[in-house]
Amino acid sequence: MLRHITNLHQVFRRQISSSVRRKLENKVAEKQKIFQEANGMPVHLKGGIGDAVLYRATMGLTVLGTACVIYELVKAAVPQKKA
């Protein structure tokens, strides 16, 4: 049993150490050009379609949450009718 565990440990170690490392390209300069461009667009939307979708989803959830809070506050403030 111990030999099996040791053998398994060696297999996992070999897979981790022999994994191919990807060369990542530095895109910081490109992103800086995009975000520093003076085109009248707000900085939170300069990232493209993904930023626009995330912004609209956040605004929608914020409005929905605010409406729910106001509804609950009004419901708590108005006394309930006794039947």
Side-chain angles (χ1 to χ4, degrees):
M1 179 71 172
L2 184 60
R3 183 175 178 205
H4 179 67
I5 292 173
T6 307
N7 210 7
L8 190 62
H9 181 68
Q10 288 174 350
V11 169
F12 283 132
R13 185 184 312 153
R14 191 175 323 128
Q15 286 179 351
I16 291 171
S17 65
S18 67
S19 63
V20 177
R21 294 184 185 245
R22 288 186 251 163
K23 182 172 171 112
L24 297 176
E25 186 178 332
N26 189 359
K27 298 180 182 179
V28 174
E30 295 170 22
K31 293 291 184 180
Q32 283 178 339
K33 286 179 187 175
I34 292 171
F35 283 98
Q36 291 176 356
E37 198 174 285
N39 58 2
M41 186 181 285
V43 72
H44 59 274
L45 297 177
K46 286 187 178 184
I49 298 290
D51 282 352
V53 169
L54 185 60
Y55 173 75
R56 288 196 175 113
T58 302
M59 286 298 110
L61 288 172
T62 301
V63 169
L64 181 67
T66 302
C68 287
V69 167
I70 290 172
Y71 171 76
E72 290 297 326
L73 285 172
V74 169
K75 192 169 91 172
V78 176
Q80 298 289 325
K81 294 181 183 178
K82 293 183 179 180

